Amino acid sequence: MKFSKTTLFDLRAVMAIEKHRNFRKAAQALGISPSALSNSISALEASIGVRLFNRTTRSVYLSDAGQSFLQRINPVVHELEQILETVSEFRDTPKGTLRISTSEVAARIIFPTVLDKFSEMYPELTLDLIVQEQLVDIVSEGMDAGIRLKEMVPKDMISIPIGPEYFRPLVVASPCYFEKHGTPSTPNDLIHHNCIAFRFNSGKIYHWEFINNGIFTEIKPIGNLIVNNHNIAIDAAKSGSGIAYINDWSIRNELARGELVSVLSNYEITYEGMALYFPGHRLIPSGLRALINLLRDHAY
């Protein structure tokens, strides 16, 4: 006995016919033609190998098998309808958990100024930020979306620009550090300074990038402090422990307060901003759409 082609609509059709005792009225209630309803019931009866209705030119009524069938499917259909109604709430009202893969830098740039508003606007939606420096397969990892530099977004994803349009990594330290150790004039001078290095989860040290007259160079920072968290690097630089390499948006308040000073401005590289990305073959969950609208409309 094959039920693979039996649908929830087929079961609703049986219930509608029993309710109206008339194919035309039942078809009208279901929004289909009487012939389409008749074909649906005939296909269902053929599938299960049992006649559900006895029909004449004037009336239609359930067979004994049909009555037994209806008794069993009634609670099942009602439960399925309740399940579908519950799930549809996610379409209309953002709720549940939204899992986002993001680099630490992206999280520091994008989220601090919007989290309060996000919590206020969507109290039933939990934002789960998973900081991952490496680029992961967000589908296989069960993520709803990712946030990375635009240039890093996989080509098969839908990409939406968010946050500042551009940002720059800056070479910074506290005023007291430069007073004590002097100020580097070129990137090569950094070998004479205590540089605070950043280590990715992969173990790789982040090289500092510079450009001069169109020529790109990388410097491997050398010093007595290696961290895997940008906040620690910022705090260490503020305390006078060394020179750090931090994007301008993550330290704009420290720069404004004079806690950090930027040097080597003639060698800075400007990068394109961030993008939020997600698979293109899926319906966009209401929670993700809400986050996209909030991030896209926010002034940075």
Side-chain angles (χ1 to χ4, degrees):
M1 195 177 295
K2 297 181 180 179
F3 293 92
S4 57
K5 294 184 179 180
T6 303
T7 66
L8 179 59
F9 177 82
D10 294 330
L11 304 184
R12 284 173 170 161
V14 173
M15 295 168 66
I17 295 171
E18 165 57 16
K19 177 181 178 180
H20 295 283
R21 299 296 179 94
N22 181 284
F23 265 79
R24 182 180 58 79
K25 291 180 179 178
Q28 188 176 14
L30 292 169
I32 61 174
S33 67
S35 60
L37 177 58
S38 179
N39 290 336
S40 176
I41 294 299
S42 296
L44 175 60
E45 290 176 329
S47 174
I48 61 179
V50 174
R51 176 180 289 276
L52 299 175
F53 292 96
N54 295 316
R55 303 175 234 185
T56 69
T57 55
R58 292 186 301 257
S59 63
V60 55
Y61 57 93
L62 283 167
S63 66
D64 289 344
Q67 290 176 1
S68 176
F69 183 74
L70 186 64
Q71 258 185 346
R72 299 293 296 273
I73 69 170
N74 253 321
V76 174
V77 171
H78 287 311
E79 184 175 355
L80 284 173
E81 288 176 338
Q82 287 179 346
I83 291 171
L84 292 173
E85 185 176 345
T86 300
V87 171
S88 70
E89 293 176 3
F90 285 81
R91 177 195 63 208
D92 304 322
T93 304
K95 60 175 59 178
T97 299
L98 192 60
R99 303 183 74 230
I100 307 293
S101 171
T102 177
S103 67
E104 183 183 342
V105 169
R108 285 182 57 84
I109 292 175
I110 299 298
F111 288 103
T113 57
V114 301
L115 289 180
D116 285 348
K117 189 172 183 181
F118 180 86
S119 298
E120 180 182 342
M121 293 175 66
Y122 310 111
E124 296 183 76
L125 183 61
T126 298
L127 184 61
D128 187 1
L129 296 179
I130 298 94
V131 175
Q132 301 168 303
E133 294 305 332
Q134 72 278 18
L135 195 64
V136 301
D137 183 342
I138 61 173
V139 176
S140 64
E141 293 285 332
M143 309 289 182
D144 294 287
I147 297 177
R148 290 295 188 278
L149 292 175
K150 291 178 184 177
E151 62 187 34
M152 295 179 64
V153 174
K155 301 300 182 185
D156 60 345
M157 295 283 168
I158 292 179
S159 176
I160 298 176
I162 57 173
E165 189 174 358
Y166 300 98
F167 73 96
R168 296 169 298 149
L170 304 179
V171 176
V172 296
S174 67
C176 67
Y177 176 89
F178 288 132
E179 289 173 8
K180 186 175 181 179
H181 300 283
T183 302
S185 300
T186 71
N188 289 331
D189 292 340
L190 291 170
I191 62 174
H192 304 299
H193 288 268
N194 193 43
C195 296
I196 302 166
F198 179 86
R199 188 196 304 276
F200 292 110
N201 291 337
S202 64
K204 181 181 178 181
I205 297 295
Y206 180 37
H207 288 193
W208 299 5
E209 300 172 338
F210 303 96
I211 194 164
N212 184 29
N213 295 323
I215 299 175
F216 175 84
T217 60
E218 284 187 339
I219 300 292
K220 182 178 180 179
I222 299 174
N224 65 358
L225 180 60
I226 301 174
V227 303
N228 67 349
N229 181 285
H230 284 88
N231 288 333
I232 297 175
I234 292 170
D235 290 341
K238 286 164 58 178
S239 71
S241 299
I243 297 178
Y245 187 70
I246 306 290
N247 74 83
D248 55 347
W249 279 89
S250 292
I251 53 173
R252 57 191 185 276
N253 293 329
E254 288 82 358
L255 292 170
R257 292 192 296 260
E259 297 170 338
L260 291 174
V261 177
S262 172
V263 297
L264 301 181
S265 59
N266 292 335
Y267 299 88
E268 294 169 357
I269 296 180
T270 299
Y271 293 94
E272 274 198 286
M274 307 289 176
L276 182 145
Y277 61 95
F278 53 93
H281 61 277
R282 295 180 177 178
L283 291 172
I284 303 178
S286 61
L288 180 56
R289 186 178 297 279
L291 179 63
I292 290 171
N293 292 337
L294 179 61
L295 295 178
R296 192 164 46 188
D297 295 342
H298 183 70
Y300 289 86

